[in-house]
């Protein structure tokens, strides 16, 4: 609690005083200063340990003085370090050309690879630490590729694609070689389990599971091959490409491109790139093997100790793997979800379907629930499974507002003057958002739609949150004249007290409740829920009515409004408009 704010204060002070900030944001961005200030702050607070102040203690005054002295001492230390940093920067500037790392040269590239491995072996992301060198490497590579394509320069062997495709196979340290080494030579079940768990991630060059699972980080045995393998690979690949045996890298492939595919695409769609990557992996296995076997050896421990050690390690490792695998798997899954949503927003279109709500005694009652669908570029209609993708990305506000726009633009085709109402489902996130009411009011005005023609449907999940903003939004919407309904009631855990806290205009009973009416208890529950209107004064809608028997049961419970496949399936706008013209005088045909 003390170290973190102290470290931040020192980091920000030194960075701002010496101009060590990002150009685009003005925020501190020097990783070396961040590491040093964190270490110095921790050492300062540990060597002069502070305890919570307690006014009831007899030593309160002296403790307070100690803390004040420590604070001002820390300020003086920060000022001194800031001055020292300034002097070091001035001194280092005169040697900048000598100290600068140039990954585009053979010697500079070896140093660059060595530092990346060394930093990674102690848990530091080397690419962030050497950001300036990496940024310059990327820019120089793009310039060279553009000149090569224009025919004005030859293609450099060393470039961003060279490092990404051949020196990060399975992640930093070419850890695909280590993973295969474990699978081929290990006799420890926990290591094999770890390797199998890490394999899907390593194939996308994400190796944190191995880095912290074996671990490699701070492991004096595995650090050596972790640093050495990329350096040997660097020399091998550079020599092979210099001799012309494999095409030089002509593209900057995405760092998550799986091994062997990256080699193919990077070397002008050449199989030689794949073969070279296989050679790099094979040599890496040979280098990792003796170090890994030494690390995984028993070293003279007796059988009981081995068993006890394995039990402890398995328990700790299992817990760690579950957490880390879940985290990394979630990251990859979220990346895939983001790509799916991006494709849907840029290709194909979202369209609205409408399912009627039929009044059993009043054919002139016209109401629909709108349901969003996606039509792909081939014209195929997709079910609304994509809603879960928007939820996972935290983008339900974007989806809901898009749906509201689509529905309001369609509503001009419906007979709104005759009292037709259209329901729109919105998520718990949107109904609890302070922007919702203002957005709906502005959209209604823009499209010239009367507020009384719009119904907002929310699920009972939203009212379980008991969010004051939700009640405020519901009241404000009803103040505009918009009707508010609770959808899928009975599917979750909402209770009557929850329902009474909100002044709903309509309650829609979930289809799942009808599935149980074959039994007496199910019938009694449905009949009880049908009487909600007597307590709350709101209309009741029976959802999911699919058979004549279900319709008659619902009707016998005193419910007048039904929705379900028995009456009509969700239909596109054109069919829904035609349906509204026929409901005033429908043919009386009922099929059991």
């Amino acid at each position: 609690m003390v170290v973190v704010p102290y470290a931040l204060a020192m980091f920000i002070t030194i960075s701002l005083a010496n101009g060590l900030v990002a150009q685009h944001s003005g925020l501190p961005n020097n990783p070396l200063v961040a590491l040093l200030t964190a270490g110095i702050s921790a050492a300062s607070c540990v060597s002069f340990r502070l305890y919570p102040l307690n006014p009831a203690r007899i030593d309160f005054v002296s403790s307070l003085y100690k803390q004040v002295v420590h604070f001002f001492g820390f300020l003086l230390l920060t000022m001194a370090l800031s001055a020292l940093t300034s002097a070091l920067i001035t001194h280092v500037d005169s040697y900048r050309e000598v100290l600068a790392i140039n990954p585009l040269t053979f010697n500079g590239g070896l140093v660059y690879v060595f530092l990346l491995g060394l930093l990674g072996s102690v848990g530091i992301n080397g690419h962030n630490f050497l950001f300036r060198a990496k940024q310059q490497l990327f820019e120089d590579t793009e310039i060279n590729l553009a000149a090569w394509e224009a025919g004005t320069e030859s293609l450099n062997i060393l470039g961003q694609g060279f490092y990404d495709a051949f020196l990060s196979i399975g992640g930093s340290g070419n850890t695909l070689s280590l993973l295969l080494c474990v699978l081929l030579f290990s006799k420890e079940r926990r290591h094999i389990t770890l390797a199998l768990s890490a394999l899907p991630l390593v194939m996308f060059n994400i190796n944190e599971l191995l880095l912290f699972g074996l671990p490699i980080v701070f492991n004096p045995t595995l650090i050596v091959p972790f640093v050495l393998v990329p350096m040997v690979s660097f020399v091998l690949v550079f020599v092979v490409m210099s001799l012309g045996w494999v095409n030089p890298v002509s593209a900057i492939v995405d760092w998550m491109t799986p091994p062997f595919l990256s080699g193919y695409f990077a070397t002008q769609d050449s199989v030689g790139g794949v073969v070279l990557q296989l050679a790099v992996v094979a040599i890496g296995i040979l280098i990792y093997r003796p170090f890994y076997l030494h690390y995984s050896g028993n070293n003279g421990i007796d059988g009981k100790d081995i068993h006890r050690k394995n039990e402890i390690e398995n328990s700790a490792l299992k817990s760690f793997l579950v957490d880390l695998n879940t985290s990394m798997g979630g990251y990859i899954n979220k990346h895939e979800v983001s790509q799916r949503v991006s494709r849907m927003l840029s290709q194909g279109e979202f369209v609205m379907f409408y399912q009627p709500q039929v009044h059993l005694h009043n054919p002139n009652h016209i109401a629909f629930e709108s349901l969003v669908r996606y039509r792909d570029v081939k014209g195929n209609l997709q079910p609304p499974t994509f809603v879960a993708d928007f939820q996972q990305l935290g983008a339900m506000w974007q989806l809901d507002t898009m749906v509201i726009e689509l529905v309001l633009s369609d509503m001009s085709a419906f007979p709104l003057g005759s009292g037709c109402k259209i329901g729109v489902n919105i998520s718990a996130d949107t109904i609890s958002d302070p922007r919702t009411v203002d957005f709906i009011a502005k959209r209604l005005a823009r499209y010239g739609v009367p507020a009384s023609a719009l119904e907002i449907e929310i699920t009972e999940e939203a009212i379980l949150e008991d969010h004051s903003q939700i009640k405020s939004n519901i009241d404000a919407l009803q103040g505009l004249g918009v009707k508010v309904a609770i959808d899928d009631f009975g599917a979750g855990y909402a209770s009557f007290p929850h329902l009474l806290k909100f002044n709903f205009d309509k309650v829609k009973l979930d289809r799942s409740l009808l599935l149980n009416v074959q039994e007496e208890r199910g019938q009694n529950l449905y009949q009880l829920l049908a009487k909600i209107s007597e307590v709350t004064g709101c209309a009741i809608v029976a959802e999911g009515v699919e058979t004549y028997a279900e319709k008659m049961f619902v009707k016998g419970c005193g419910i007048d409004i039904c929705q379900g496949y028995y009456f009509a399936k969700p239909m596109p706008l054109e069919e829904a408009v035609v349906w509204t013209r026929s409901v005033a005088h429908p043919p009386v045909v009922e099929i059991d």
Side-chain angles (χ1 to χ4, degrees):
M1 297 296 292
V2 177
V3 170
V4 172
Y6 272 37
L8 282 174
M10 179 178 281
F11 176 49
I12 293 171
T13 301
I14 294 176
S15 298
L16 295 180
N18 293 281
L20 302 174
V21 295
Q23 293 181 355
H24 62 282
S25 65
L27 297 175
N29 71 338
N30 189 286
L32 180 58
V33 175
L35 287 171
L36 290 175
T37 52
I40 292 171
S41 299
S44 174
C45 293
V46 169
S47 61
F48 193 102
R49 188 168 295 279
L50 302 176
Y51 297 94
L53 293 174
N54 184 355
R57 291 175 60 93
I58 59 174
D59 62 348
F60 170 71
V61 175
S62 60
S63 297
L64 178 61
Y65 283 142
K66 288 178 182 179
Q67 295 215 22
V68 171
V69 169
H70 181 269
F71 176 72
F72 281 101
F74 188 80
L75 288 181
L76 291 174
L77 177 62
T78 300
M79 294 171 64
L81 288 174
S82 180
L84 178 62
T85 302
S86 178
L88 286 173
I89 291 174
T90 303
H91 184 69
V92 169
D93 278 343
S94 59
Y95 298 96
R96 183 177 295 276
E97 293 185 4
V98 177
L99 297 175
I101 300 172
N102 185 3
L104 293 175
T105 65
F106 182 84
N107 292 334
L110 272 178
V111 173
Y112 181 66
V113 172
F114 171 76
L115 290 176
L116 286 177
L118 192 63
L119 291 167
S121 67
V122 293
I124 299 172
N125 189 314
H127 294 289
N128 290 339
F129 197 89
L130 301 174
F131 176 74
R132 293 183 187 276
K134 181 178 176 64
Q135 186 180 42
Q136 189 63 48
L137 171 65
F138 184 84
E139 293 173 357
D140 291 342
T141 301
E142 285 193 318
I143 293 171
N144 177 247
L145 288 175
W148 173 71
E149 291 175 354
T152 58
E153 288 185 17
S154 60
L155 192 61
N156 291 339
I157 293 176
L158 296 177
Q160 183 70 57
F162 177 95
Y163 292 95
D164 288 343
F166 293 96
L167 303 184
S168 295
I169 302 177
S172 56
N174 279 5
T175 40
L176 178 59
S177 297
L178 175 59
L179 183 143
L180 295 176
C181 178
V182 172
L183 293 178
L184 290 172
F185 305 113
S186 179
K187 295 181 180 179
E188 289 204 30
R189 186 174 61 180
R190 69 181 186 89
H191 285 180
I192 296 174
T193 302
L194 173 64
L196 292 173
S197 301
L199 182 59
L201 302 177
V202 169
M203 291 308 297
F204 290 95
N205 302 317
I206 300 172
N207 65 352
E208 276 74 8
L209 199 55
L210 285 178
L211 282 177
F212 300 99
L214 276 173
I216 300 171
V217 173
F218 291 113
N219 185 326
T221 303
L222 292 180
I223 280 177
V224 175
F226 183 79
V227 175
L228 182 61
V229 168
M231 297 182 69
V232 173
S233 303
F234 175 90
V235 174
L236 171 66
V237 177
F238 183 85
V239 170
V240 169
M241 289 187 176
S242 297
L243 294 174
W245 295 349
V246 172
N247 294 332
V249 175
S250 61
I252 302 176
V253 295
D254 188 277
W255 69 272
M256 288 186 68
T257 304
F260 312 124
L261 284 177
S262 60
Y264 178 77
F265 293 131
T267 56
Q268 307 171 43
D269 296 346
S270 169
V271 177
V274 179
V275 174
L276 183 54
Q277 281 189 321
L278 287 169
V280 167
V281 171
I283 292 173
I285 293 173
L286 295 176
I287 296 174
Y288 269 113
R289 184 176 182 272
F291 292 93
Y292 170 71
L293 293 179
H294 175 75
Y295 166 66
S296 62
N298 296 328
N299 296 322
I301 304 174
D302 63 40
K304 290 184 178 179
D305 287 340
I306 293 173
H307 179 70
R308 192 180 304 112
K309 172 178 174 286
N310 287 341
E311 283 186 343
I312 295 172
E313 288 179 343
N314 285 340
S315 176
L317 180 63
K318 184 177 181 180
S319 176
F320 173 82
L321 288 178
V322 169
D323 293 342
L324 189 58
N325 210 14
T326 300
S327 175
M328 297 307 299
Y331 171 81
I332 294 176
N333 183 52
K334 197 166 186 178
H335 176 72
E336 294 173 348
V337 169
S338 177
Q339 288 186 322
R340 278 203 304 271
V341 170
S342 296
R343 284 195 298 269
M344 292 179 72
L345 292 172
S346 60
Q347 304 170 10
E349 62 175 341
F350 290 91
V351 295
M352 301 307 303
F353 274 51
Y354 298 89
Q355 186 173 30
Q357 296 173 9
V358 176
H359 197 293
L360 299 179
H361 305 293
N362 181 9
N364 293 319
H365 172 277
I366 303 175
F368 292 88
E369 177 184 2
S370 60
L371 302 163
V372 65
R373 298 290 185 266
Y374 172 72
R375 183 178 287 120
D376 62 25
V377 291
K378 297 180 179 179
N380 299 320
L381 205 63
Q382 305 296 329
T385 53
F386 55 83
V387 174
D389 289 344
F390 280 86
Q391 287 176 329
Q392 187 171 346
L393 294 177
M396 288 305 298
W397 164 264
Q398 288 77 7
L399 178 62
D400 288 340
T401 52
M402 178 181 65
V403 167
I404 291 171
E405 290 270 7
L406 291 172
V407 171
L408 291 177
S409 65
D410 285 350
M411 286 179 69
S412 60
F414 290 98
L416 304 182
S418 301
C420 178
K421 292 178 171 50
I422 308 294
V424 181
N425 292 284
I426 65 174
S427 65
D429 291 342
T430 302
I431 193 60
S432 61
D433 195 303
R435 300 171 292 174
T436 298
V437 176
D438 185 56
F439 173 82
I440 291 176
K442 289 180 178 178
R443 297 299 95 183
L444 287 169
R446 175 182 175 181
Y447 290 98
V449 173
S452 59
L454 180 66
E455 289 185 349
I456 295 297
E457 299 184 8
I458 63 175
T459 61
E460 59 179 333
E461 169 197 1
I463 66 173
L464 287 175
E465 295 183 7
D466 195 19
H467 198 301
S468 59
Q469 184 65 49
I470 296 177
K471 188 176 189 311
S472 175
N473 282 355
I474 290 175
D475 293 342
L477 287 171
Q478 291 173 327
L480 293 174
V482 176
K483 303 297 182 183
V484 181
I486 177 171
D487 195 18
D488 301 330
F489 187 79
Y493 304 97
S495 61
F496 285 103
H498 279 111
L499 190 61
L500 295 174
K501 288 182 181 179
F502 301 88
N503 184 30
F504 290 110
D505 300 291
K506 183 183 288 185
V507 174
K508 302 180 71 177
L509 301 182
D510 189 68
R511 159 72 182 166
S512 61
L513 297 171
L514 269 178
L515 299 178
N516 299 317
V517 297
Q518 303 299 325
E519 302 177 0
E520 184 178 354
R521 293 178 63 182
Q523 294 176 3
N524 293 338
L525 175 61
Y526 204 94
Q527 290 166 351
L528 175 64
L529 293 175
K531 298 183 182 298
I532 290 176
S533 59
E534 298 177 8
V535 180
T536 62
C538 55
I540 304 295
V541 178
E543 288 188 297
V545 178
E546 297 186 358
T547 65
Y548 176 75
E550 290 176 347
K551 171 198 167 184
M552 297 308 297
F553 171 77
V554 166
K555 185 176 181 180
C557 292
I559 297 177
D560 297 328
I561 306 174
C562 299
Q563 177 180 340
Y565 283 11
Y566 176 76
F567 301 97
K569 293 183 178 181
M571 44 191 148
L573 175 64
E574 297 77 11
E575 294 181 21
V577 172
V578 172
W579 190 90
T580 60
R581 295 170 184 162
S582 63
V583 292
H585 305 286
V588 183
V589 178
E590 293 186 346
I591 302 175
D592 192 347

